[in-house]
Amino acid sequence: MSVTEKNEEVACFAKTFQELSESEQQMINLLNQVQEKNGYISQTDLRQLAALTGQPEAKLHGLVSFFDSFRTRPLGKNHLSVCYGTACYTRGANLLYDRLANELELDADGTSTDGWITLDKVQCVGACSLAPVISVNGKLEGKLKAHQMPSTLQKLRDDHAGK
Amino acid sequence: MKDEIRIIIDDLVLNAEVGMPLLSLLKEWKIDIPTLCYHSQLGPLHRCSLCIVEVRRSGEWKAKHACMLACTSGLEIRTISSDIHRLRARAARILLTRGPFAKPSVEIILHRILSAAKAAGIPDDSQFLPIEIPEESISKDLLDQDPTAQMRQQGCVLCGQCVEMCKKTGNNFLTFLGRGNKLRISYVNTAATCGKCRACSHVCPTGYIHSTGQAAFAAKLYR
Amino acid sequence: MLANDNFLTDTRTKLGLPKITYTPASPPPPVFPQAAMNIAPVLSARYGLKNIPPLLAELAEQGHELLCPSNMARISVGLATCGQAAGAGNWFKLLAARLDFKNKVIVRHVGCLGACYGEPLVDVRTPDGKHHIFGKVGSDVHWSIIRTAQQHVSQRGAWMVLREREPGILTGFADLEIEKSFHSAFADFFVHQKRRVSGNCGLIDPQSLPEYIGAGGYFAFAKALFERTPEQVTAEMTASGLRGRGGSGFKTGHKWEIAASANDQDRIVIANADEGDPGAYMDRTLMESDPHRVLEGIMIAAYAVGAREAYIFMRQEYPLAVSRLRQAISDAQAAGLLGERILGTGFSLRIGVIQSAGAFVCGEETSMLQVITGQRGEPWPRPPYPASQGLNGHPTVINNVETLANVPWIIAYGAEAFREQGNGDSPGTKIFCLTGDVPKPGFIEVPLGINVRKIVENIGGAAPETVKALQIGGPSGGIVPYSDFAMDFSAVSSIGAMMGSGGLVVLNQSRCVVDLTHHLVRFMADESCGQCLFCRDGLTWLEKLLSQLTAKQGKPGMIDILENLGRDIAGLSLCALGQSAVNPLLTTLQNFREEYDAHLAGICPAAACNAMIHFEIIHSRCTDCRGCYRACPVKAITVEAGKGPAGYLFDHDRCIRCRTCAEICPHNCVVAVSGGEQK
């Protein structure tokens, strides 16, 4: 990376820092912002955050790894989460997840080998009256059955093809 | 002269400094309490769960960790009882599943706890505790992510003394990663290399760190 | 639904009119609504506020014109998370785009009325102060909604008509009474509730500061600021007996007293919005549907304990709540209700939003404080408690969002009025999220001490014989058999469970409590921060044992280990996660011991655990349609032609227990069976 690029990156981070109100300039907010911008938090991001805030890099690694929603590698093009809250679990969340996992070839991070989709489990999105619930690219769909999962995936593929 | 109060340990009435962590006091007076994560300079880290004692509350004895109790007026504890044996033995069994350990002293401490429990008539429940870690318990995704580092760093009891010591030296190269049963320790450092101070290997109770933290902890957050 | 959308767009295109786009961030500007009366003096009289700050008076009138227009109708579409998930966004778009509504009807979006099972919900308010509620809105009632709004007469399809007790005054659900009910189950849902804290939810636009004030918002804050000293405010909280609504049940007034009497003058207030209990969304709904109420609670708390900075610690999984709160904070700031020298007094307050990132343990006070200071969320031993030494060592009052939402009500109406509901041990009302195997799941607010049967049967509509057990209080709560007991702190505690934050999951006869316990223990094992050996490795050990038990690998003696290991973990853990993680286990061992024994013998009484079930066809119901045979993804079903139902053969070894056959069967003839001969 050239010096100008590096300076720009640091400046971009500084801007991220200032975008937060003074009372919100907490590390965890910064990390959330970085993840929102890029979809994940890279090692370079952490290095720069460490430099910007004067925190040891190891501490940031420890902080990022503590949480479920921070990703250290990019998501697939689509993001499908199955809710595992109590109501959803009793109404068959694991059946949905198993069916989806069987239909896809997922790597260790839950991303399909062609990078098209990431499948993961999430802990309670709070739409319990629609149990079981999945989140498809942020949009909630509820009252689902396992045998509907192949068509959910197909619809995603069709939407993509249409673009 | 700090405020002193009277506390009772094993029916002995003694004077203690108010607010002092109980475990520090017991160690100072060389009362036999097994620990793996206590360091006189780092203080109690409440991670090994061996320092179990019983404290009397409302007439009943309740098991608590000595590292989490502070000396207060009226504190009454005992360091030996049937339940203390049972609980320490349970903790020791769990810790043994993280072995084998490079330093024999650790195995000796833990096996002594087990023998003391056996002598006190506590039944052995190890049939229900898997001593061999089956493959499924190591999360597949993390094994794939870092095949060179078993997530369960066998031989490490996660006492955290190395992490604290590295912080104290000002280096800050070590950190815990993850949480729960995925908890492990990682060495993170892009600026320099470690290897000079050996503070971590000095405090490591199990000998998992035999040379440097960098060599010992291969777990990484980023591949 | 979508057909209407295209029709409208096509028509507009044909007429050469520009396309209308809906930007949800900026609600459509109100057009000439007028209100019949001045609301500010009415509100002041109600809340006992002697001098109305001019800002509040002005915004109240503005808001009131939107809430209760006397010369226009108002359509409110429920657009909280449940509403959006049910497709209410489309209805809002269509209605907001109507040209013939100009000067006649305003269309606003509101939060959650609580009857989540009935979403999308639309409320048409006619100028006479009547609210015509339409549920499960589809194209069949689309025109009824429009005609009701245009002609001011109730049309066919409304589920219920509520009327304002005093037409033109709407400060919350308590100002409404049922005039006509066309859907008795829907009326039942509301009749047993006392919506005080959630009174605005579903009635006001959560993104509108004027509407909040027009419904009486910030009047309590003004009363506290101008007519009460901080000590009097704290005394009122103590007199009310309000107990923490996040699960602890700790007396709120007492917590405030500890902080207010500290030597350290730098006090901090934190709203705990890290609602981690799966199956509970009380706080989410409050924050999405009435964010200003939460802010008002924080502001009064800060005033009472002498804090100048406050934070809201939020779950990352609630993006809508985060954005609504941030917007509410910025609107309040712009209006001078937050910031320096609020309303011209010496009281200053900043509120910041801190987003967590997915860790249940952060709902624990000291874990949250660690994360706020950029550390891993590992709790520290208490004492010291945060109220004495919290964030950076300062006295920090950490209150749950629902607790804080109670505060404006108590200051407005007084401690005695607060105590009129509930009982001595547990005064006031509580919000519950009723979910699971119940026909009418939703977000409800009831007096504490109410019989649980009223909640499950009258409000939820469940038939008592179908209910096997209740999972109360999330993964820290318990699983108890369905029986008569009061929902309050001590009654629930005396049956061995914890009322918790308000999650109430109903379980029918087909749910296995051992499997659910396994799920909850696994959840807690994953969420453990990992410090304490017994919590981290003990819960993992428990999870493994339960996994073996539900996989038909149970061994004799295992159940005793489960019990005493569970008690060890509870007794030796540093924080409430470990201390309460075994509550589901201990309550089920106490109340459903026979199920554990059955699992040891290889049978799942609920026929739910995969390793112990196989599928069979009930011949009398089968119509030989071959649906199951075609749908099975692993071809475990074969059909011998000409034999009818008897010709269907299940290969139980091939079967993966995905239940597709049972789901697909149109006559419910494929059932799971545990034990007995495998046919």
Side-chain angles (χ1 to χ4, degrees):
Chain A
M1 204 187 284
S2 72
V3 174
T4 352
E5 278 173 0
K6 198 152 187 247
N7 285 341
E8 274 174 15
E9 285 255 5
V10 178
C12 179
F13 263 101
K15 185 165 177 292
T16 300
F17 196 72
Q18 263 126 46
E19 264 166 22
L20 292 167
S21 71
E22 196 194 326
S23 57
E24 291 190 19
Q25 283 166 355
Q26 261 79 14
M27 183 58 73
I28 190 101
N29 277 351
L30 279 173
L31 291 169
N32 267 308
Q33 279 214 308
V34 170
Q35 165 123 328
E36 247 176 73
K37 271 209 176 91
N38 306 330
Y40 73 110
I41 302 176
S42 71
Q43 192 166 13
T44 332
D45 289 331
L46 279 191
R47 217 169 278 154
Q48 291 176 343
L49 260 178
L52 182 71
T53 55
Q55 299 285 327
E57 203 183 325
K59 190 171 168 192
L60 295 185
H61 279 230
L63 191 59
V64 164
S65 67
F66 189 81
F67 297 97
D68 291 333
S69 71
F70 286 145
R71 288 181 290 274
T72 53
R73 288 168 72 216
L75 274 176
K77 289 200 194 61
N78 293 288
H79 187 197
L80 215 160
S81 302
V82 178
C83 179
Y84 262 65
T86 311
C88 289
Y89 179 76
T90 56
R91 299 193 89 112
N94 54 346
L95 296 172
L96 298 181
Y97 183 85
D98 288 344
R99 191 63 194 265
L100 286 164
N102 283 337
E103 299 278 330
L104 299 162
E105 237 185 73
L106 300 171
D107 70 11
D109 290 316
T111 303
S112 62
T113 42
D114 57 3
W116 175 67
I117 190 169
T118 298
L119 171 70
D120 58 15
K121 302 178 188 177
V122 79
Q123 286 303 342
C124 197
V125 297
C128 316
S129 53
L130 298 166
V133 170
I134 64 172
S135 164
V136 183
N137 293 327
K139 209 165 159 292
L140 296 180
E141 290 179 24
K143 294 212 166 104
L144 298 167
K145 295 272 176 219
H147 66 255
Q148 295 166 325
M149 292 301 95
S151 55
T152 303
L153 291 175
Q154 190 54 48
K155 188 168 177 302
L156 263 182
R157 288 192 191 98
D158 293 341
D159 284 347
H160 248 259
K163 285 202 177 124
Chain B
M1 175 87 148
K2 286 236 175 94
D3 281 346
E4 282 208 338
I5 36 104
R6 299 170 90 80
I7 63 173
I8 303 175
I9 301 178
D10 292 331
D11 291 329
L12 275 173
V13 179
L14 301 157
N15 285 339
E17 200 180 292
V18 74
M20 185 177 192
L22 179 66
L23 182 61
S24 309
L25 194 75
L26 296 171
K27 287 286 185 187
E28 204 179 286
W29 287 343
K30 298 208 173 16
I31 294 176
D32 186 20
I33 306 276
T35 56
L36 277 181
C37 70
Y38 175 82
H39 189 281
S40 52
Q41 286 169 317
L42 300 170
L45 297 176
H46 30 82
R47 287 185 190 272
C48 74
S49 208
L50 290 177
C51 64
I52 296 169
V53 298
E54 277 181 334
V55 58
R56 197 174 217 155
R57 283 189 187 151
S58 324
E60 286 193 8
W61 289 104
K62 292 206 78 161
K64 289 279 166 228
H65 293 108
C67 61
M68 295 198 227
L69 293 168
C71 294
T72 51
S73 177
L75 182 69
E76 186 182 347
I77 68 148
R78 63 182 182 191
T79 65
I80 311 257
S81 80
S82 168
D83 217 35
I84 289 176
H85 278 302
R86 183 183 69 80
L87 290 167
R88 285 192 195 161
R90 198 156 253 177
R93 285 207 178 87
I94 294 175
L95 285 166
L96 278 168
T97 68
R98 292 190 176 268
F101 303 108
K103 278 194 187 160
S105 51
V106 176
E107 307 244 354
I108 292 172
I109 293 177
L110 295 177
H111 280 283
R112 276 186 64 181
I113 292 174
L114 292 181
S115 331
K118 190 170 176 190
I122 310 292
D124 182 350
D125 56 18
S126 55
Q127 43 165 321
F128 293 107
L129 178 60
I131 300 294
E132 269 184 77
I133 311 304
E135 202 61 20
E136 315 90 61
S137 77
I138 304 174
S139 159
K140 198 181 171 304
D141 44 280
L142 261 127
L143 247 190
D144 284 353
Q145 201 173 62
D146 188 6
T148 62
Q150 297 278 315
M151 180 177 20
R152 266 188 88 92
Q153 293 159 324
Q154 291 297 127
C156 167
V157 291
L158 299 170
C159 72
Q161 288 186 70
C162 54
V163 177
E164 291 303 308
M165 197 42 110
C166 194
K167 269 193 221 162
K168 235 185 157 71
T169 62
N171 286 324
N172 285 295
F173 294 152
L174 292 173
T175 179
F176 276 106
L177 285 186
R179 58 166 203 249
N181 45 32
K182 298 200 191 74
L183 194 67
R184 58 218 188 270
I185 298 179
S186 171
Y187 169 85
V188 179
N189 184 24
T190 39
T193 42
C194 99
K196 302 210 177 109
C197 80
R198 301 286 193 115
C200 54
S201 69
H202 189 68
V203 291
C204 176
T206 65
Y208 184 73
I209 311 175
H210 42 80
S211 56
T212 64
Q214 186 169 15
F217 298 112
K220 299 263 171 277
L221 184 57
Y222 294 95
R223 268 188 243 173
Chain C
M1 209 163 76
L2 291 169
N4 278 346
D5 200 359
N6 290 334
F7 171 69
L8 195 62
T9 320
D10 286 345
T11 315
R12 296 186 58 77
T13 322
K14 282 184 196 138
L15 294 173
L17 294 168
K19 208 172 164 197
I20 290 186
T21 46
Y22 161 64
T23 43
S26 45
V31 189
F32 308 120
Q34 285 162 31
M37 64 178 88
N38 282 338
I39 195 66
V42 175
L43 294 173
S44 303
R46 245 193 211 196
Y47 299 151
L49 176 67
K50 296 194 198 83
N51 296 307
I52 318 167
L55 169 77
L56 278 191
E58 188 193 319
L59 287 174
E61 300 306 336
Q62 259 183 54
H64 186 234
E65 284 165 12
L66 292 166
L67 284 173
C68 305
S70 64
N71 64 338
M72 292 168 73
R74 169 185 163 119
I75 298 181
S76 307
V77 181
L79 275 185
T81 297
C82 287
Q84 286 188 23
N90 279 330
W91 296 113
F92 183 86
K93 248 196 273 192
L94 287 172
L95 294 165
R98 291 192 71 85
L99 293 177
D100 57 353
F101 276 0
K102 187 171 160 137
N103 297 345
K104 297 233 180 73
V105 181
I106 57 168
V107 180
R108 308 283 284 170
H109 75 94
V110 295
C112 183
L113 252 184
C116 306
Y117 75 96
E119 294 282 2
L121 284 163
V122 172
D123 166 11
V124 182
R125 183 193 182 273
T126 45
D128 54 2
K130 302 220 173 118
H131 295 250
H132 312 259
I133 316 277
F134 293 80
K136 288 219 167 82
V137 166
S139 41
D140 52 333
V141 291
H142 183 62
W143 290 106
S144 294
I145 293 175
I146 294 172
R147 295 242 161 72
T148 308
Q150 286 174 329
Q151 294 164 14
H152 303 175
V153 172
S154 200
Q155 302 289 317
R156 195 172 51 83
W159 282 12
M160 188 162 77
V161 178
L162 299 163
R163 66 159 171 251
E164 286 151 19
R165 287 177 217 268
E166 294 174 57
I169 300 184
L170 186 62
T171 63
F173 207 83
D175 284 335
L176 297 171
E177 57 191 3
I178 298 181
E179 180 175 272
K180 265 194 282 248
S181 159
F182 303 101
H183 200 280
S184 59
F186 190 66
D188 269 349
F189 188 84
F190 291 100
V191 137
H192 303 277
Q193 294 189 46
K194 283 270 180 291
R195 295 180 80 92
R196 291 173 164 182
V197 174
S198 61
N200 284 341
C201 298
L203 294 175
I204 69 167
D205 176 352
Q207 293 175 285
S208 164
L209 176 60
E211 281 196 29
Y212 179 68
I213 298 181
Y218 290 119
F219 275 73
F221 173 60
K223 183 176 170 184
L225 195 59
F226 292 108
E227 293 170 23
R228 298 280 188 278
T229 63
E231 293 75 25
Q232 285 171 326
V233 174
T234 305
E236 191 87 47
M237 292 307 298
T238 309
S240 74
L242 174 68
R243 295 174 66 168
R245 296 291 193 249
S248 69
F250 193 82
K251 294 240 165 86
T252 308
H254 188 209
K255 202 182 256 190
W256 290 14
E257 275 165 17
I258 296 174
S261 56
N263 284 331
D264 185 344
Q265 295 301 308
D266 283 329
R267 290 88 182 255
I268 301 163
V269 171
I270 302 183
N272 186 346
D274 192 37
E275 184 176 53
D277 279 357
Y281 54 99
M282 298 76 56
D283 297 343
R284 171 178 72 66
T285 306
L286 279 174
M287 292 187 287
E288 286 177 0
S289 308
D290 201 2
H292 282 284
R293 184 172 298 239
V294 179
L295 295 186
E296 191 177 355
I298 296 174
M299 287 151 69
I300 297 174
Y303 175 70
V305 305
R308 282 189 304 272
E309 56 183 292
Y311 300 97
I312 306 177
F313 187 80
M314 297 250 358
R315 276 189 97 204
Q316 189 267 349
E317 291 87 334
Y318 289 167
L320 185 59
V322 173
S323 73
R324 295 239 165 123
L325 270 174
R326 278 216 165 101
Q327 192 204 334
I329 291 173
S330 107
D331 287 349
Q333 219 154 345
L337 288 162
L338 276 176
E340 297 296 313
R341 308 191 54 80
I342 296 173
L343 293 177
T345 64
F347 178 58
S348 307
L349 179 66
R350 297 180 314 185
I351 304 184
V353 172
I354 301 174
Q355 250 188 304
S356 186
F360 176 79
V361 69
C362 295
E364 167 74 33
E365 293 186 340
T366 55
S367 168
M368 175 191 303
L369 293 175
Q370 294 274 50
V371 170
I372 294 178
T373 50
Q375 325 282 345
R376 288 162 54 86
E378 292 172 344
W380 69 66
R382 295 172 299 170
Y385 288 87
S388 332
Q389 275 180 57
L391 188 60
N392 298 321
H394 300 302
T396 307
V397 167
I398 302 177
N399 279 140
N400 169 265
V401 160
E402 188 187 339
T403 310
L404 289 165
N406 270 275
V407 172
W409 198 99
I410 294 175
I411 300 303
Y413 295 103
E416 237 178 84
F418 181 74
R419 298 188 78 100
E420 277 167 20
Q421 296 295 331
N423 54 42
D425 163 79
S426 314
T429 55
K430 174 90 187 74
I431 299 177
F432 290 97
C433 282
L434 183 64
T435 62
D437 301 317
V438 67
K440 294 184 278 170
F443 162 96
I444 65 173
E445 186 176 349
V446 290
L448 278 166
I450 189 173
N451 189 323
V452 75
R453 281 195 193 278
K454 246 203 190 139
I455 298 179
V456 175
E457 292 169 34
N458 298 82
I459 300 179
E465 63 278 4
T466 63
V467 182
K468 171 176 172 178
L470 300 173
Q471 205 277 296
I472 313 181
S476 325
I479 303 178
V480 296
Y482 186 50
S483 66
D484 269 307
F485 60 88
M487 279 301 263
D488 70 27
F489 287 100
S490 55
V492 176
S493 161
S494 68
I495 57 171
M498 213 173 90
M499 195 173 71
S501 60
L504 188 54
V505 185
V506 178
L507 305 167
N508 67 22
Q509 308 292 347
S510 77
R511 309 292 176 209
C512 176
V513 296
V514 180
D515 178 61
L516 182 58
T517 301
H518 175 221
H519 170 74
L520 294 172
V521 168
R522 184 171 41 202
F523 171 80
M524 290 302 226
D526 284 343
E527 297 293 338
S528 164
C529 78
Q531 257 189 111
C532 302
L533 187 89
F534 273 90
C535 173
R536 175 189 74 224
D537 291 335
L539 286 176
T540 306
W541 185 358
L542 274 184
E543 191 271 315
K544 273 200 204 64
L545 290 174
L546 286 165
S547 169
Q548 287 170 351
L549 189 59
T550 53
K552 219 173 175 176
Q553 291 162 11
K555 292 188 224 135
M558 192 182 259
I559 299 185
D560 289 325
I561 295 272
L562 283 174
E563 186 155 14
N564 59 52
L565 177 59
R567 290 193 200 283
D568 293 344
I569 295 170
L572 286 171
S573 294
L574 190 157
C575 81
L577 189 152
Q579 287 159 9
S580 64
V582 296
N583 285 349
L585 175 66
L586 295 175
T587 47
T588 45
L589 283 171
Q590 188 187 318
N591 297 308
F592 296 97
R593 184 58 182 251
E594 65 284 358
E595 290 215 16
Y596 281 89
D597 293 331
H599 278 74
L600 261 185
I603 298 192
C604 174
C609 294
N610 283 350
M612 297 180 217
I613 58 169
H614 61 274
F615 288 90
E616 286 177 1
I617 292 183
I618 301 179
H619 288 190
S620 53
R621 291 190 206 160
C622 174
T623 57
D624 200 3
C625 76
R626 301 209 179 186
C628 55
Y629 156 72
R630 278 193 291 263
C632 176
V634 295
K635 301 207 186 333
I637 306 178
T638 49
V639 180
E640 255 183 72
K643 281 195 177 174
Y648 286 66
L649 294 167
F650 284 78
D651 183 344
H652 302 298
D653 295 319
R654 231 188 148 100
C655 171
I656 57 170
R657 274 65 172 182
C658 69
R659 288 153 175 85
T660 301
C661 52
E663 289 170 3
I664 286 264
C665 175
H667 311 292
N668 288 321
C669 34
V670 184
V671 291
V673 173
S674 183
E677 242 181 67
Q678 290 195 359
K679 297 186 207 126

